[in-house]
Amino acid sequence: MAHVLRMAPALSEKIWGGHRLKDLYNYPIPSNKTGEAWVISGHKNGPSTIVNGEYKGMTLAELFDQHRELFGNIEGKEFPLLIKFIDASDDLSVQVHPDDDYASKYENSLGKTEAWYILDAKQGTDMIVGHHAETKEELKDFIERDDWDGLLNKFPIMKGDFFFIPAGTIHAICAGTLVYEAQQSSDITYRLYDYHRKDDNGQERELHIDQAVAVTKCPAIIGETNAEKEEVYDGYIIHRFVKSDYLSVYRIDVTSKAVIKNNNPFQLLTVIEGHGTINGEEAVKGDNFVICSDVDEVVYEGQLEVMMTTL
Ligand code: ZN
């Protein structure tokens, strides 16, 4: 019996969150400040749960521990990837993530390379990726002077844009953005700047300047952006956004039917538009599936836009 696992998201409130995760995907959000849905996650800070089939009720982390054969017998002590939706109704902090070397040494964690596909962006929405400091000294100087306009590389975005953010890249998602995020399974964020915002108790959130300076690459490395290549088949299109050491991200557009071989240890599928079926499972916008390695081919039927992330 080949395994197509339907996943239930773990939702969390954030000071910058909103309610589009309910409006668009009908997720049971805890409040109108819901910032994140961890839709396919083996991470302890937001585990997603299997809701169909023989493993119903188990978390992805438990299944990965007990049945590694369903994941191509890959190595590693934790499920390597994490898929999120992020609803930013306000600006997220300016931040940077460590790479594997730094994270394993200081945080006992994987590093965090991430990739974003913009599901929605209000007119005039910005994104911050990269910076203008040539050296660590220049970086510290910009930070000490509180000169964020001078430091940060900011530009407008549109629905459908894609960004690849290698570890060590300063970035911030800005107000108005709805994102599909594929990343290494890590929750380590070093905050550089939080717009001097205060919480209900009048406190600014903690910053992590020393760690952020230590892990930021200078000069900035620029990941692939909108590096979309299309492979067109009869009745469906595969858009390839990035293929990297950590993760590869695709969008599959189906107009009636597609049959796609599974040559991966697993595939993580997120339906972002339309409705239909995936290997017989009903699939609508917001649904998430893990395709295990015992599935030979994935059969899509209906009208569907699906994000597919794999190693
Ligand atoms: Zn980030």
Side-chain angles (χ1 to χ4, degrees):
M1 184 61 197
H3 292 86
V4 175
L5 312 173
R6 181 188 292 273
M7 306 305 300
L11 296 148
S12 63
E13 297 179 80
K14 301 282 177 185
I15 58 169
W16 42 259
H19 49 78
R20 277 185 289 182
L21 297 176
K22 176 169 195 298
D23 301 347
L24 292 169
Y25 308 113
N26 206 26
Y27 290 165
I29 59 173
S31 81
N32 283 340
K33 280 200 170 291
T34 300
E36 297 189 356
W38 292 21
V39 294
I40 302 177
S41 162
H43 198 284
K44 62 184 188 314
N45 294 359
S48 54
T49 306
I50 300 158
V51 293
N52 69 339
E54 64 183 292
Y55 299 117
K56 187 174 174 175
M58 273 175 96
T59 65
L60 182 57
E62 289 166 345
L63 189 67
F64 186 69
D65 271 351
Q66 295 168 28
H67 290 280
R68 194 64 62 96
E69 74 281 2
L70 294 175
F71 304 91
N73 287 313
I74 58 168
E75 291 180 5
K77 62 184 195 298
E78 57 196 310
F79 189 73
L81 300 180
L82 171 54
I83 307 296
K84 289 181 188 176
F85 282 169
I86 296 175
D87 176 14
S89 75
D90 199 353
D91 296 325
L92 274 71
S93 62
V94 176
Q95 55 185 252
V96 62
H97 307 297
D99 62 16
D100 282 346
D101 288 345
Y102 189 95
S104 69
K105 193 165 168 198
Y106 296 104
E107 306 280 4
N108 188 29
S109 166
L110 294 175
K112 189 170 165 189
T113 283
E114 55 193 30
W116 303 327
Y117 177 77
I118 307 303
L119 294 166
D120 196 16
K122 301 203 169 107
Q123 183 85 29
T125 295
D126 285 322
M127 176 71 83
I128 292 166
V129 179
H131 63 79
H132 302 301
E134 290 297 316
T135 63
K136 298 260 184 188
E137 289 311 310
E138 278 185 36
L139 176 63
K140 283 187 222 166
D141 213 50
F142 275 113
I143 295 168
E144 271 162 34
R145 285 187 280 114
D146 219 20
D147 182 6
W148 302 99
D149 289 341
L151 175 64
L152 301 172
N153 185 40
K154 191 172 184 178
F155 49 88
I157 55 165
M158 281 168 36
K159 180 176 179 171
D161 285 345
F162 179 84
F163 301 94
F164 181 56
I165 314 288
T169 306
I170 291 177
H171 59 277
I173 292 169
C174 300
T177 314
L178 184 72
V179 184
Y180 164 92
E181 179 177 87
Q183 55 159 100
Q184 288 181 272
S185 185
S186 165
D187 200 20
I188 308 295
T189 294
Y190 299 137
R191 237 179 250 135
L192 280 149
Y193 177 53
D194 202 26
Y195 305 91
H196 299 298
R197 278 183 296 201
K198 294 188 169 55
D199 65 16
D200 293 342
N201 302 318
Q203 299 293 312
E204 294 190 21
R205 290 194 292 176
E206 190 188 354
L207 300 177
H208 320 90
I209 301 290
D210 291 345
Q211 295 98 318
V213 169
V215 305
T216 297
K217 304 275 195 291
C218 294
I221 35 167
I222 299 300
E224 278 183 89
T225 298
N226 292 338
E228 187 167 356
K229 296 175 188 69
E230 293 192 3
E231 298 174 40
V232 182
Y233 297 90
D234 190 20
Y236 63 101
I237 304 171
I238 298 178
H239 308 261
R240 188 175 75 212
F241 291 110
V242 71
K243 210 169 157 46
S244 81
D245 290 347
Y246 296 107
L247 48 87
S248 301
V249 182
Y250 305 80
R251 195 184 79 220
I252 301 163
D253 295 351
V254 182
T255 50
S256 59
K257 185 171 181 179
V259 181
I260 299 175
K261 282 242 171 293
N262 175 26
N263 300 319
N264 308 103
F266 57 82
Q267 295 183 353
L268 309 181
L269 305 183
T270 298
V271 181
I272 58 167
E273 284 294 344
H275 54 90
T277 60
I278 296 175
N279 285 24
E281 288 277 340
E282 194 190 350
V284 298
K285 186 166 81 167
D287 283 353
N288 296 279
F289 301 95
V290 176
I291 304 295
C292 292
S293 52
D294 59 357
V295 175
D296 293 332
E297 54 187 29
V298 185
V299 180
Y300 299 86
E301 288 181 282
Q303 275 202 319
L304 293 163
E305 281 181 29
V306 179
M307 298 303 295
M308 193 274 266
T309 292
T310 187
L311 288 173

